[in-house]
C-alpha cells in the first residue's frame, strides 16, 4: 500500500509496561496487514516500572530492525523525546502517537492514504471533527481539553480542529524543520507544531479519530501541566 516508503513510529514511554506489548502488537499487525514498511523507535525515559526491560523482550520477539530502543537516562519530557527519536529514524515518514493505547493504530492506513492523495506535509488525527471523539474521560478532563483547544484556536487560528492532540503523520524533513523551530515544552509543544506548520505554509490533512482514555497506568497530566499550558499558550500568542 505504501509503495517504497518507510514509516518510522516514535513511541515515547514513561511507565507503560502494561501498555507497550499491546500497542506494539497492534502496530506490527496493522503494518503487516497493509504491507507497510516500518520501524518502531521506543524512547523510554528510565521508567521506574521497568518499561525498558519489556521493550527489550519485545525487540527480541519482533527483531532489531523493527523495534529500536533509544532510551534516555531520566524523564526529560515529550518534546525532547521526539527530537531524540527522529535522529535515529530511517523512514521518510514519521508517525507520532502515545504508547498508552489512547491512539489506535487502526487509523494509520487511513492517515497514509490521505497523505498520499494530496501529498500532504502533515496529517493530524482530530477528536473534534467528523466522527472523532473522546471516550473514558470524566467531565472535568473533557472540559479542560475542549477549553484548551478552544482557547488555542481562538488565539492562534491555526486552521486545524485539534491542536492539542498528538496522533500525527509527518514527512520526515517537515517534522525536523518544525521541531527545530519550536520553543515550547509540554502540551504546548503539540500545538506550536501546528502553528509553525501554518507559518511555513505546510499542508495539513485531518482524519477523525477516537481517543480512548488509558486503562493501565497514570496520565502525566496534573494541575502543574494546566498552569504551564496556559503560560505556554500566552507566550506563543505573543511570539507569533
Ligand atoms: N519518554 C517520555 N515519554 C513520556 C514522558 N511523559 C509522557 N510520556 C509518554 O507520552 C505519552 C502521553 O503521555 P500521557 O501521560 O498519556 O499524556 P495524556 O494522554 O495527555 O494524559 C505516553 O506514551 C507517555 O508514556 C516523558 O517525559 N518522557
Ligand atoms: C506563505 O504563504 C503566504 C501567502 O501566499 C506568503 O505571503 C508567505 O510568504 C508564505 N510563507 C512562507 C514561509 O513561504
Ligand atoms: Mg494518555
Amino acid at each position: 500500500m505504501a509503495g517504497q516508503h518507510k514509516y518510522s513510529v516514535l513511541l515515547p514511554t514513561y511507565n507503560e509496561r502494561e501498555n507497550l506489548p499491546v500497542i506494539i502488537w497492534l502496530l506490527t499487525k496493522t503494518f503487516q496487514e497493509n504491507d507497510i514498511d516500518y520501524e518502531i523507535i521506543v524512547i523510554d525515559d528510565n521508567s521506574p516500572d521497568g518499561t525498558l526491560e519489556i521493550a527489550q523482550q519485545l525487540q527480541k520477539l519482533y527483531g532489531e530492525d523493527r523495534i529500536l530502543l533509544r532510551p534516555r537516562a531520566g524523564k526529560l519530557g515529550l518534546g525532547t523525546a521526539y527530537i531524540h527519536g527522529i535522529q535515529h529514524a530511517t523512514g521518510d515518514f514519521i508517525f507520532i502517537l502515545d504508547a498508552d493505547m489512547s491512539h489506535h493504530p487502526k487509523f494509520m492506513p487511513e492517515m497514509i492514504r490521505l497523505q498520499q492523495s494530496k501529498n500532504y506535509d502533515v496529517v493530524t488525527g482530530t477528536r473534534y471533527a467528523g466522527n472523532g471523539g473522546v471516550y473514558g474521560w470524566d467531565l472535568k478532563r473533557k472540559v479542560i481539553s475542549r477549553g484548551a483547544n478552544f482557547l488555542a484556536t481562538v488565539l492562534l487560528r491555526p486552521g486545524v480542529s485539534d491542536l492539542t492532540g498528538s496522533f500525527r503523520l509527518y514527512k520526515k524533513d517537515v517534522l525536523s524543520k518544525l521541531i527545530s523551530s519550536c520553543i515550547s515544552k509540554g502540551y504546548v509543544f503539540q500545538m506550536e507544531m501546528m502553528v509553525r506548520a501554518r507559518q511555513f505554509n505546510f499542508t495539513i490533512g485531518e482524519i477523525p479519530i477516537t481517543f480512548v482514555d488509558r486503562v493501565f497506568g497514570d496520565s502525566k497530566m496534573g494541575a502543574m501541566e494546566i498552569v504551564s499550558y496556559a503560560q505556554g499558550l500566552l507566550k506563543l500568542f505573543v511570539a507569533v
Side-chain angles (χ1 to χ4, degrees):
M1 153 185 187
Q4 69 283 35
H5 297 298
K6 181 171 181 180
Y7 294 80
S8 301
V9 180
L10 302 186
L11 207 57
T13 58
Y14 193 75
N15 288 342
E16 302 290 1
R17 65 173 293 140
E18 291 104 332
N19 292 311
L20 196 60
V22 190
I23 186 73
I24 287 196
W25 179 76
L26 278 173
L27 283 166
T28 53
K29 183 168 126 75
T30 304
F31 289 136
Q32 278 167 11
E33 284 177 359
N34 292 278
D35 200 19
I36 297 166
D37 190 16
Y38 71 97
E39 67 186 3
I40 300 167
I41 304 175
V42 180
I43 306 127
D44 185 66
D45 279 0
N46 200 12
S47 301
D49 77 343
T51 301
L52 186 59
E53 284 82 77
I54 303 286
Q56 284 161 345
Q57 289 176 27
L58 292 165
Q59 188 185 40
K60 285 203 190 93
L61 201 62
Y62 293 99
E64 286 184 12
D65 54 331
R66 295 301 189 191
I67 314 282
L68 284 67
L69 308 181
R70 297 291 176 263
R72 301 190 296 175
K75 192 173 188 311
L76 299 169
L78 269 180
T80 58
Y82 299 133
I83 297 173
H84 182 71
I86 199 176
Q87 284 163 1
H88 303 281
T90 63
D92 47 340
F93 284 92
I94 311 276
F95 268 110
I96 289 183
L97 79 166
D98 292 349
D100 61 358
M101 297 291 301
S102 288
H103 299 144
H104 200 295
K106 71 183 175 189
F107 297 107
M108 295 167 111
E110 216 180 321
M111 292 167 87
I112 292 175
R113 268 194 292 276
L114 181 68
Q115 189 284 320
Q116 291 181 339
S117 71
K118 300 256 174 68
N119 193 25
Y120 282 119
D121 296 313
V122 184
V123 171
T124 178
T126 175
R127 299 162 290 182
Y128 301 130
N131 295 323
V134 172
Y135 295 88
W137 273 358
D138 59 14
L139 185 64
K140 183 178 149 207
R141 184 83 203 258
K142 277 186 182 164
V143 168
I144 290 170
S145 175
R146 276 269 185 189
N149 201 61
F150 176 75
L151 200 64
T153 306
V154 169
L155 288 180
L156 304 169
R157 306 214 165 273
V160 288
S161 58
D162 191 343
L163 271 175
T164 48
S166 53
F167 192 2
R168 290 172 186 159
L169 169 63
Y170 297 88
K171 287 179 181 169
K172 187 188 183 179
D173 52 332
V174 168
L175 181 61
S176 299
K177 191 165 176 189
L178 287 176
I179 283 181
S180 59
S181 69
C182 283
I183 50 170
S184 313
K185 300 263 178 305
Y187 286 84
V188 188
F189 176 78
Q190 300 298 352
M191 189 167 74
E192 182 175 5
M193 296 275 278
M194 292 297 100
V195 175
R196 301 283 174 204
R198 204 188 62 153
Q199 284 183 336
F200 288 130
N201 292 340
F202 289 138
T203 55
I204 306 174
E206 292 194 303
I207 290 282
I209 58 152
T210 45
F211 177 101
V212 182
D213 194 23
R214 61 163 72 244
V215 176
F216 294 111
D218 296 316
S219 164
K220 283 96 209 163
M221 196 187 86
M224 266 310 293
E225 276 69 29
I226 296 172
V227 171
S228 65
Y229 174 84
Q231 285 171 343
L233 178 61
L234 283 175
K235 236 185 177 153
L236 202 57
F237 176 62
V238 174
V240 298

